[in-house]
Amino acid sequence: MGKDKLRRFAEIETFDNVVQLEAGQPYKGKWAIDFFKNENPVVLELACGKGEYTVNLAQMFPHKNFIGIDYKGNRIWRGAKTAIEEGVPNVGFLRIQIENLLDYFAPGEVDEIWITFPDPQPQLSREKKRLTSPRFLEKYKELLKPGGFVNLKTDNDGLHAYTVEKILELGLNIAARTEDLYHSPYADEVLSIKTYYEKKYLASNKNINYVKFSF
Protein backbone atom coordinates (compact mmCIF):
# COMPACT_ATOMS: atom_id res chain seq x y z
CA MET A 1 0.00 0.00 0.00
CA GLY A 2 1.38 3.43 -0.96
CA LYS A 3 2.27 6.11 1.55
CA ASP A 4 -0.65 8.31 0.48
CA LYS A 5 -3.14 5.51 1.09
CA LEU A 6 -1.63 4.75 4.48
CA ARG A 7 -1.78 8.43 5.42
CA ARG A 8 -5.41 8.69 4.38
CA PHE A 9 -6.41 5.57 6.27
CA ALA A 10 -4.73 6.98 9.36
CA GLU A 11 -6.37 10.37 8.91
CA ILE A 12 -9.93 9.12 8.50
CA GLU A 13 -9.55 7.41 11.87
CA THR A 14 -9.59 10.94 13.31
CA PHE A 15 -12.59 12.20 11.30
CA ASP A 16 -15.83 12.60 13.27
CA ASN A 17 -17.86 12.20 10.06
CA VAL A 18 -16.51 8.73 9.20
CA VAL A 19 -17.65 5.44 10.76
CA GLN A 20 -15.83 2.25 9.84
CA LEU A 21 -17.06 -1.33 9.74
CA GLU A 22 -18.60 -2.76 12.95
CA ALA A 23 -18.39 0.63 14.67
CA GLY A 24 -21.44 1.57 12.61
CA GLN A 25 -23.69 -1.22 13.87
CA PRO A 26 -24.77 0.56 17.10
CA TYR A 27 -26.25 3.33 14.96
CA LYS A 28 -28.71 0.91 13.32
CA GLY A 29 -32.17 2.47 13.57
CA LYS A 30 -30.72 5.61 15.16
CA TRP A 31 -28.53 7.29 12.54
CA ALA A 32 -30.49 10.55 12.56
CA ILE A 33 -30.70 10.90 16.33
CA ASP A 34 -27.39 9.42 17.48
CA PHE A 35 -25.03 10.31 14.62
CA PHE A 36 -26.48 13.53 13.18
CA LYS A 37 -28.18 14.66 16.42
CA ASN A 38 -31.48 15.50 14.70
CA GLU A 39 -34.63 13.85 13.39
CA ASN A 40 -34.18 14.67 9.70
CA PRO A 41 -34.58 12.15 6.84
CA VAL A 42 -31.66 9.85 6.05
CA VAL A 43 -30.44 9.50 2.45
CA LEU A 44 -27.77 7.03 1.28
CA GLU A 45 -25.35 7.14 -1.63
CA LEU A 46 -24.06 3.65 -2.35
CA ALA A 47 -20.59 3.10 -3.82
CA CYS A 48 -20.03 6.79 -3.22
CA GLY A 49 -16.35 6.77 -4.23
CA LYS A 50 -14.86 10.15 -3.38
CA GLY A 51 -18.21 11.37 -2.08
CA GLU A 52 -18.74 14.22 -4.54
CA TYR A 53 -22.43 13.49 -5.00
CA THR A 54 -22.96 12.93 -1.28
CA VAL A 55 -21.41 16.26 -0.31
CA ASN A 56 -23.19 18.20 -3.06
CA LEU A 57 -26.56 16.74 -2.08
CA ALA A 58 -25.92 17.61 1.56
CA GLN A 59 -25.13 21.20 0.62
CA MET A 60 -28.32 21.45 -1.45
CA PHE A 61 -30.55 19.91 1.23
CA PRO A 62 -29.39 21.04 4.69
CA HIS A 63 -32.50 19.59 6.33
CA LYS A 64 -31.68 16.04 5.27
CA ASN A 65 -28.89 13.73 6.45
CA PHE A 66 -26.64 12.12 3.83
CA ILE A 67 -24.45 9.06 4.27
CA GLY A 68 -21.95 8.02 1.60
CA ILE A 69 -21.14 4.32 1.69
CA ASP A 70 -18.09 2.67 0.19
CA TYR A 71 -15.51 0.11 1.25
CA LYS A 72 -12.44 1.97 -0.03
CA GLY A 73 -11.25 4.22 2.76
CA ASN A 74 -8.79 6.18 0.64
CA ARG A 75 -11.72 7.31 -1.53
CA ILE A 76 -14.00 8.14 1.40
CA TRP A 77 -11.16 10.26 2.79
CA ARG A 78 -11.63 12.80 0.02
CA GLY A 79 -15.36 13.34 0.56
CA ALA A 80 -15.07 13.37 4.34
CA LYS A 81 -12.21 15.88 4.25
CA THR A 82 -14.13 18.13 1.85
CA ALA A 83 -17.18 18.07 4.14
CA ILE A 84 -15.02 19.02 7.12
CA GLU A 85 -13.18 21.78 5.25
CA GLU A 86 -16.41 23.26 3.87
CA GLY A 87 -18.32 22.92 7.13
CA VAL A 88 -21.06 20.58 5.91
CA PRO A 89 -22.57 19.08 9.09
CA ASN A 90 -25.28 16.90 7.54
CA VAL A 91 -22.98 14.44 5.75
CA GLY A 92 -21.27 11.31 7.02
CA PHE A 93 -19.44 8.35 5.53
CA LEU A 94 -19.72 4.68 6.39
CA ARG A 95 -16.98 2.27 5.31
CA ILE A 96 -18.59 -1.14 4.85
CA GLN A 97 -19.34 -3.71 2.18
CA ILE A 98 -22.67 -2.66 0.66
CA GLU A 99 -23.97 -6.22 0.77
CA ASN A 100 -24.03 -5.85 4.59
CA LEU A 101 -26.42 -2.87 4.61
CA LEU A 102 -29.06 -4.66 6.67
CA ASP A 103 -26.59 -4.99 9.55
CA TYR A 104 -26.30 -1.20 9.74
CA PHE A 105 -29.76 0.21 8.92
CA ALA A 106 -33.17 -0.72 10.31
CA PRO A 107 -36.27 -1.42 8.21
CA GLY A 108 -37.81 1.85 7.04
CA GLU A 109 -34.90 3.97 8.31
CA VAL A 110 -33.88 5.32 4.89
CA ASP A 111 -35.82 7.89 2.86
CA GLU A 112 -33.95 7.68 -0.44
CA ILE A 113 -31.05 5.87 -2.10
CA TRP A 114 -28.66 7.15 -4.75
CA ILE A 115 -26.44 4.92 -6.89
CA THR A 116 -24.20 7.06 -9.08
CA PHE A 117 -21.88 5.49 -11.66
CA PRO A 118 -21.32 2.16 -9.93
CA ASP A 119 -19.15 -0.62 -11.33
CA PRO A 120 -21.51 -2.15 -13.94
CA GLN A 121 -20.13 -5.67 -13.36
CA PRO A 122 -20.76 -6.54 -17.03
CA GLN A 123 -19.76 -10.20 -16.84
CA LEU A 124 -22.79 -12.49 -16.49
CA SER A 125 -20.94 -14.40 -13.77
CA ARG A 126 -20.89 -11.20 -11.67
CA GLU A 127 -24.57 -10.34 -12.04
CA LYS A 128 -25.20 -10.80 -8.31
CA LYS A 129 -22.65 -8.07 -7.60
CA ARG A 130 -24.56 -5.47 -9.61
CA LEU A 131 -26.05 -2.95 -7.21
CA THR A 132 -29.43 -3.25 -8.93
CA SER A 133 -29.58 -7.05 -9.00
CA PRO A 134 -32.62 -8.61 -7.29
CA ARG A 135 -30.65 -9.51 -4.16
CA PHE A 136 -29.69 -5.87 -3.62
CA LEU A 137 -33.17 -4.62 -4.54
CA GLU A 138 -34.59 -6.78 -1.76
CA LYS A 139 -32.30 -5.04 0.72
CA TYR A 140 -33.33 -1.60 -0.51
CA LYS A 141 -37.00 -2.53 -0.24
CA GLU A 142 -36.49 -3.39 3.42
CA LEU A 143 -34.47 -0.28 4.25
CA LEU A 144 -36.64 2.30 2.49
CA LYS A 145 -39.67 3.96 3.97
CA PRO A 146 -42.88 3.29 2.01
CA GLY A 147 -42.72 5.34 -1.18
CA GLY A 148 -38.97 5.93 -0.84
CA PHE A 149 -37.06 6.17 -4.11
CA VAL A 150 -33.95 4.57 -5.58
CA ASN A 151 -32.04 6.68 -8.14
CA LEU A 152 -29.57 5.14 -10.58
CA LYS A 153 -27.36 7.39 -12.67
CA THR A 154 -24.94 5.59 -15.00
CA ASP A 155 -23.00 5.97 -18.22
CA ASN A 156 -23.30 2.23 -18.81
CA ASP A 157 -26.15 1.44 -21.20
CA GLY A 158 -26.04 -2.25 -20.30
CA LEU A 159 -26.47 -1.64 -16.58
CA HIS A 160 -29.32 0.78 -17.23
CA ALA A 161 -31.12 -1.70 -19.50
CA TYR A 162 -30.56 -4.51 -16.99
CA THR A 163 -31.95 -2.38 -14.16
CA VAL A 164 -35.06 -1.39 -16.09
CA GLU A 165 -35.60 -5.04 -17.01
CA LYS A 166 -35.47 -6.09 -13.33
CA ILE A 167 -37.73 -3.21 -12.29
CA LEU A 168 -40.36 -4.32 -14.81
CA GLU A 169 -39.98 -8.01 -13.91
CA LEU A 170 -40.57 -7.22 -10.24
CA GLY A 171 -43.49 -4.88 -10.95
CA LEU A 172 -41.85 -1.85 -9.35
CA ASN A 173 -42.90 1.74 -9.99
CA ILE A 174 -40.85 3.87 -12.39
CA ALA A 175 -41.07 7.59 -11.63
CA ALA A 176 -38.54 8.75 -14.24
CA ARG A 177 -36.48 7.11 -16.96
CA THR A 178 -34.22 8.38 -19.71
CA GLU A 179 -31.28 7.13 -21.75
CA ASP A 180 -30.01 10.67 -22.34
CA LEU A 181 -30.34 12.69 -19.16
CA TYR A 182 -29.01 16.02 -20.39
CA HIS A 183 -31.35 16.06 -23.36
CA SER A 184 -34.36 15.21 -21.22
CA PRO A 185 -36.72 17.21 -18.97
CA TYR A 186 -35.24 15.53 -15.87
CA ALA A 187 -31.91 17.38 -15.86
CA ASP A 188 -32.63 19.59 -12.86
CA GLU A 189 -30.12 21.04 -10.39
CA VAL A 190 -29.88 17.78 -8.44
CA LEU A 191 -29.37 15.47 -11.41
CA SER A 192 -26.92 17.93 -12.93
CA ILE A 193 -24.41 17.38 -10.13
CA LYS A 194 -21.38 16.02 -11.97
CA THR A 195 -18.65 13.90 -10.43
CA TYR A 196 -15.10 13.81 -11.76
CA TYR A 197 -15.85 10.63 -13.67
CA GLU A 198 -19.10 11.89 -15.10
CA LYS A 199 -17.30 14.92 -16.51
CA LYS A 200 -14.88 12.54 -18.22
CA TYR A 201 -17.76 10.49 -19.65
CA LEU A 202 -19.45 13.62 -20.99
CA ALA A 203 -16.19 14.85 -22.51
CA SER A 204 -16.11 11.56 -24.42
CA ASN A 205 -19.66 12.23 -25.67
CA LYS A 206 -21.13 9.38 -23.64
CA ASN A 207 -24.84 9.54 -22.85
CA ILE A 208 -25.94 9.47 -19.22
CA ASN A 209 -28.76 7.13 -18.25
CA TYR A 210 -31.09 7.74 -15.32
CA VAL A 211 -33.92 5.83 -13.71
CA LYS A 212 -35.86 6.58 -10.52
CA PHE A 213 -38.10 3.93 -9.01
CA SER A 214 -39.89 2.81 -5.87
CA PHE A 215 -41.25 -0.41 -4.41
Side-chain angles (χ1 to χ4, degrees):
M1 185 180 293
K3 289 183 179 179
D4 276 351
K5 283 188 177 181
L6 287 172
R7 177 180 59 80
R8 291 172 181 178
F9 270 109
E11 194 170 358
I12 63 173
E13 290 279 357
T14 70
F15 289 173
D16 290 338
N17 61 354
V18 176
V19 179
Q20 300 194 66
L21 305 173
E22 289 79 8
Q25 291 181 358
Y27 290 110
K28 182 176 180 177
K30 302 177 289 184
W31 280 95
I33 294 173
D34 285 0
F35 185 78
F36 292 103
K37 311 301 182 185
N38 60 48
E39 297 183 5
N40 295 336
V42 173
V43 180
L44 307 182
E45 185 194 1
L46 306 181
C48 68
K50 295 180 180 180
E52 297 155 289
Y53 226 92
T54 306
V55 173
N56 274 275
L57 286 171
Q59 291 172 320
M60 284 186 179
F61 301 100
H63 299 299
K64 293 183 180 181
N65 301 314
F66 293 86
I67 302 174
I69 299 176
D70 207 297
Y71 190 67
K72 296 188 176 178
N74 61 306
R75 291 183 181 177
I76 283 178
W77 170 87
R78 179 64 272 168
K81 192 171 181 67
T82 298
I84 291 169
E85 291 174 344
E86 298 187 7
V88 188
N90 59 319
V91 61
F93 291 90
L94 175 61
R95 189 174 81 84
I96 61 168
Q97 296 281 9
I98 294 170
E99 62 190 32
N100 297 327
L101 275 175
L102 299 183
D103 294 333
Y104 294 85
F105 296 92
E109 185 173 7
V110 176
D111 280 66
E112 191 168 15
I113 291 173
W114 284 84
I115 307 171
T116 56
F117 303 96
D119 185 337
Q121 307 286 359
Q123 303 93 334
L124 187 59
S125 61
R126 298 179 67 84
E127 177 186 353
K128 289 185 178 180
K129 292 186 175 293
R130 296 172 190 166
L131 291 184
T132 52
S133 68
R135 77 178 186 118
F136 279 103
L137 294 178
E138 282 299 312
K139 297 179 193 291
Y140 308 156
K141 181 179 180 181
E142 184 169 340
L143 295 180
L144 283 169
K145 291 182 177 178
F149 288 104
V150 179
N151 303 271
L152 172 68
K153 196 176 175 188
T154 178
D155 67 302
N156 189 278
D157 295 342
L159 179 62
H160 177 76
Y162 169 85
T163 301
V164 171
E165 177 184 320
K166 296 305 171 188
I167 290 170
L168 295 176
E169 283 180 4
L170 295 168
L172 309 185
N173 305 304
I174 295 179
R177 173 189 172 188
T178 177
E179 285 76 41
D180 193 357
L181 176 60
Y182 295 109
H183 293 91
S184 80
Y186 302 117
D188 60 9
E189 185 180 16
V190 175
L191 288 174
S192 294
I193 296 171
K194 296 179 181 67
T195 66
Y196 168 79
Y197 287 108
E198 183 177 355
K199 290 174 184 175
K200 289 186 69 173
Y201 302 145
L202 290 170
S204 300
N205 293 317
K206 296 192 75 172
N207 60 297
I208 304 299
N209 302 278
Y210 172 68
V211 61
K212 178 178 183 177
F213 60 97
S214 60
F215 296 92

